Amino acid sequence: MKFNDYTYERPDFDLFKKDFVHLIDQLKSAGSVEEVKEAIDDVSALTSSLDTMATLASIRYSIDTKDDFYEQEDNYWNEYGPLYQELNTRYYKAIMESPYLEELKDSYPRTFIQNMQFELDSFDASVIELLQKENQLSSDYQKLIAAAEIEFDRKILTLSQFGPYLQSTDRAVRKEASEAQLSYFEENEEKLDTIYNELVTVRDQIAKKLGYKDFVELGYVRMKRFDYDRDMVEVYRKQVLDYVVPVTKKLAERQAERIGIKDLKHYDEALQFLDGNPTPQGDPDYIIENGRKMYHELSDETAEFIDFMFDKELVDLLSKEGKASGGYCTYIPDYKSPFIFANFNGTSGDIDVLTHEAGHAFQVYQSRWIKQPEIVFPTFETCEIHSMSMEFFTYPWMELFFKEQTDKYKFDHLSGAIRFLPYGVLVDHFQHEVYENPEWSPEERKVCWRKLEKQYLPQRDYSESDFLDKGTYWFRQGHIFASPFYYIDYTLAQVCALQFWKRAIVDEDDKAWGDYMAICEAGGTKSFLETVDTANLRSPFEEGSLERVVKTIDDALEAVDDKAL
């Protein structure tokens, strides 16, 4: 059965509630731990079916935000999602109050019970209306970004389709493309400010109604940060400033010299080489064909996985009108199917999709054995270890896609990994400041962004864009609107993935792939730091861990004659 044959049917909330509450009652009246476990299995199956419908609706709406049917379904899930969540909290409370709780802790992964406690700590029926509003505002942002139709180069482009123009070797084209893309954000500045202002307000209200000091505290609970806190993140951010920013400043200077520009402007940053950035040497069909070949040669497990994905058409890769921006991987439980969504645009990012999002998909494919839907995927920062590490494990096959541009791609990709860290930390730091000061006006938020931007990205020059110089770059960062605090995760995972790069590519450690497979199979049964330990990596929070890995990368990049690429 292929993806288009997967059946979607809107659930009947009252019927679902009746069945769900019946199972909760069974759990409460259970006379043994075995009866409790049977009830948990039944609830997990029912929840998985519900998740299947919600996920199918979400995927199909993101593929075409102009589809009237799935727009109505999106509205349904925005409205009813919190009501289903309220039922989940009843289930979690029943488990946490069970006389068999200690025996259950011995029967399930620690994260299963932790997940329940964190869900209980982040929800109460009194905030349902506020959660519904938060959901709708997030959808409003997604729809506004997807609706962009910008005239450029005698074409009508979406925001995602500007990629090749922003990497043009013609500086005038880069500048014009940047200005055209920015014009959409500038024209919609008031709408974007209003959506985000309302999101901050409603999230602050939710947090305080639940008894938290601010949304930062609630945000960490929502993100299931089981074994680290905001103080540890603050220490980590300082390490990025101390050890990474000096390297990224140096890389910017090398880039300016490579492309023959003394005054590197914001619209120059996407171009890494004077003769153009590395690009895939073939069309999407060529990329898919070689992607299958790559995963067949990487391992037996990845061969089985990629055939499953392509044969069942569980990928949607091409950018088109009405399609939501960005890329993601999700999971359809009843069909035991990962799904990859992306927007190919002819840049090297297309290959990164084939490795990064496929890394997510491969992890969840390997952890389909887990019955409890709450822990099939791990927490976000752990998920990103799988995806970012796959980008490096596939390095030996990059010649399939880039041919004579392979060395150029590897230099660009590795330097890009280190260049990303300060930006990722900036996004996180900004959100801490915003939610610690929810009364700020839109103008005050922009001032804050620009101030932090100058710390983390001191090389960035907006002297030819008043709009960006006042602190609006973050408008394009969907995570800030839809997934608060989901961004530091990428940087923490990147530090771990770079350790896999060192082991697998530099040191040729034949145990690296086995460690990677172990954490894929573990799924969400382990916390972030437990996963790091299982993978035989060093924690990003460990003193000195960042300094060492950054030095290794800096040395590797210094050894490359980038002007000859």
Side-chain angles (χ1 to χ4, degrees):
M1 183 183 290
K2 296 183 178 181
F3 173 72
N4 282 340
D5 300 319
Y6 290 4
T7 302
Y8 172 77
E9 183 177 350
R10 180 190 288 189
D12 181 315
F13 176 75
D14 291 333
L15 183 60
F16 180 90
K17 180 178 179 179
K18 180 181 176 182
D19 292 341
F20 200 87
V21 170
H22 176 68
L23 290 175
I24 294 173
D25 290 341
Q26 283 188 344
L27 191 154
K28 288 180 177 178
S29 61
S32 69
V33 69
E34 292 305 320
E35 289 183 16
V36 175
K37 289 162 72 173
E38 286 178 18
I40 288 174
D41 284 347
D42 289 341
V43 170
S44 293
L46 190 60
T47 300
S48 291
S49 294
L50 181 75
D51 289 347
T52 295
M53 295 304 117
T55 303
L56 285 173
S58 176
I59 292 170
R60 288 172 176 160
Y61 181 57
S62 62
I63 288 172
D64 184 5
T65 60
K66 294 185 176 183
D67 185 308
D68 291 337
F69 176 81
Y70 281 107
E71 181 175 8
Q72 291 304 312
E73 296 313 292
D74 184 65
N75 292 336
Y76 168 82
W77 288 102
N78 285 339
E79 180 181 353
Y80 278 85
L83 301 180
Y84 287 112
Q85 187 178 355
E86 193 271 335
L87 292 177
N88 266 341
T89 62
R90 292 197 211 177
Y91 163 54
Y92 295 153
K93 282 179 181 175
I95 289 180
M96 300 306 287
E97 294 170 359
S98 170
Y100 303 104
L101 179 61
E102 292 308 312
E103 292 172 79
L104 291 173
K105 287 180 179 179
D106 293 334
S107 302
Y108 293 95
R110 181 170 62 90
T111 52
F112 181 52
I113 304 299
Q114 277 185 312
N115 183 82
M116 291 183 179
Q117 186 59 61
F118 275 53
E119 285 287 342
L120 290 173
D121 291 344
S122 62
F123 180 84
D124 185 81
S126 65
V127 298
I128 285 178
E129 286 188 14
L130 292 171
L131 290 169
Q132 290 170 329
K133 184 176 181 182
E134 181 185 11
N135 288 343
Q136 189 56 53
L137 287 165
S138 294
S139 289
D140 290 346
Y141 171 81
Q142 181 188 54
K143 191 165 185 179
L144 180 62
I145 296 302
E149 296 180 354
I150 305 163
E151 189 174 348
F152 188 77
D153 191 25
R154 292 176 293 182
K155 302 172 187 173
I156 301 298
L157 303 179
T158 65
L159 290 170
S160 299
Q161 291 171 327
F162 271 90
Y165 296 101
L166 295 170
Q167 295 182 15
S168 171
T169 56
D170 185 330
R171 196 180 196 195
V173 171
R174 294 198 300 275
K175 183 177 181 181
E176 289 168 14
S178 175
E179 289 172 350
Q181 191 184 54
L182 283 173
S183 68
Y184 187 75
F185 292 97
E186 193 162 6
E187 288 165 10
N188 289 282
E189 180 178 7
E190 187 175 344
K191 288 181 183 177
L192 289 162
D193 277 335
T194 298
I195 290 171
Y196 193 58
N197 200 60
E198 291 184 23
L199 278 168
V200 172
T201 299
V202 76
R203 285 168 180 156
D204 184 63
Q205 290 172 344
I206 292 168
K208 287 173 179 169
K209 203 159 190 175
L210 292 174
Y212 292 95
K213 172 189 172 186
D214 54 31
F215 182 73
V216 180
E217 287 187 356
L218 175 58
Y220 272 59
V221 174
R222 280 187 175 186
M223 292 297 293
K224 311 285 185 2
R225 292 182 174 165
F226 299 137
D227 43 18
Y228 65 97
D229 56 29
R230 63 206 283 182
D231 292 334
M232 294 167 73
V233 168
E234 189 173 344
V235 170
Y236 168 71
R237 288 201 305 250
K238 187 175 185 307
Q239 288 193 77
V240 171
L241 280 171
D242 289 345
Y243 303 119
V244 182
V245 171
V247 175
T248 55
K249 283 178 66 178
K250 185 167 57 176
L251 285 169
E253 291 167 3
R254 290 177 71 181
Q255 177 190 358
E257 192 173 347
R258 269 199 315 276
I259 64 175
I261 292 174
K262 291 183 179 178
D263 54 337
L264 196 74
K265 303 296 183 185
H266 67 277
Y267 53 80
D268 295 315
E269 290 185 14
L271 179 69
Q272 289 292 318
F273 300 92
L274 190 57
D275 62 348
N277 285 3
T279 55
Q281 301 298 292
D283 61 16
D285 288 338
Y286 172 89
I287 292 172
I288 290 170
E289 178 187 346
N290 282 289
R292 195 189 287 258
K293 174 179 171 62
M294 173 178 72
Y295 284 116
H296 269 260
E297 294 179 1
L298 176 57
S299 73
D300 291 341
E301 295 86 356
T302 51
E304 176 191 316
F305 153 75
I306 204 64
D307 286 345
F308 181 88
M309 297 297 291
F310 286 154
D311 292 347
K312 293 183 178 293
E313 298 179 356
L314 292 162
V315 294
D316 192 288
L317 303 175
L318 302 183
S319 182
K320 49 187 175 278
E321 182 182 340
K323 187 174 181 180
S325 63
Y328 62 77
C329 167
T330 188
Y331 182 61
I332 310 166
D334 281 357
Y335 298 95
K336 294 191 178 301
S337 298
F339 187 91
I340 295 174
F341 172 96
N343 282 276
F344 273 14
N345 60 13
T347 69
S348 63
D350 296 350
I351 309 306
D352 296 337
V353 165
L354 199 62
T355 56
H356 182 101
E357 298 304 341
H360 285 307
F362 179 67
Q363 173 266 300
V364 75
Y365 187 80
Q366 293 301 310
S367 58
R368 296 181 302 167
W369 62 271
I370 300 170
K371 289 183 179 180
Q372 298 76 40
E374 295 88 350
I375 54 173
V376 175
F377 273 120
T379 50
F380 289 119
E381 73 290 280
T382 308
C383 280
E384 298 304 337
I385 298 177
H386 308 113
S387 58
M388 291 180 162
S389 298
M390 185 65 87
E391 295 178 35
F392 293 117
F393 278 115
T394 53
Y395 259 28
W397 288 270
M398 286 302 102
E399 194 169 348
L400 290 174
F401 307 102
F402 294 101
K403 298 181 180 177
E404 68 277 3
Q405 296 185 24
T406 301
D407 287 340
K408 180 191 282 190
Y409 169 77
K410 288 181 179 178
F411 178 86
D412 184 36
H413 182 265
L414 183 60
S415 62
I418 200 76
R419 293 196 311 269
F420 168 73
L421 293 177
Y423 175 74
V425 171
L426 158 65
V427 170
D428 181 72
H429 195 162
F430 173 67
Q431 293 183 92
H432 276 78
E433 296 290 337
V434 165
Y435 290 110
E436 287 170 5
N437 299 279
E439 74 288 349
W440 275 355
S441 67
E443 288 68 30
E444 287 173 311
R445 292 188 194 110
K446 292 168 191 169
V447 168
C448 173
W449 173 270
R450 192 67 187 104
K451 177 185 175 184
L452 293 173
E453 199 172 32
K454 288 176 180 177
Q455 293 177 31
Y456 290 101
L457 307 171
Q459 72 278 8
R460 185 160 283 180
D461 185 347
Y462 291 143
S463 59
E464 295 182 15
S465 174
D466 291 340
F467 180 65
L468 289 175
D469 196 45
K470 70 178 182 179
T472 58
Y473 185 91
W474 58 274
F475 279 172
R476 68 186 66 199
Q477 192 61 62
H479 299 72
I480 291 176
F481 289 82
S483 306
F485 291 107
Y486 181 11
Y487 218 71
I488 194 77
D489 311 72
Y490 292 112
T491 75
L492 294 170
Q494 188 70 275
V495 172
C496 295
L498 286 165
Q499 293 179 60
F500 267 132
W501 162 78
K502 183 178 184 301
R503 289 178 59 190
I505 305 302
V506 179
D507 301 337
E508 298 183 349
D509 178 358
D510 57 8
K511 294 181 180 178
W513 179 254
D515 286 342
Y516 177 75
M517 280 295 302
I519 64 172
C520 286
E521 291 165 2
T525 64
K526 296 182 183 295
S527 69
F528 173 63
L529 292 180
E530 287 171 343
T531 300
V532 170
D533 186 58
T534 299
N536 290 308
L537 304 175
R538 294 188 64 189
S539 163
F541 303 116
E542 187 179 324
E543 198 66 44
S545 63
L546 209 59
E547 183 179 12
R548 289 190 184 94
V549 72
V550 169
K551 185 178 188 313
T552 301
I553 297 161
D554 188 29
D555 289 344
L557 293 172
E558 284 285 355
V560 176
D561 181 4
D562 52 310
K563 292 181 186 176
L565 295 176

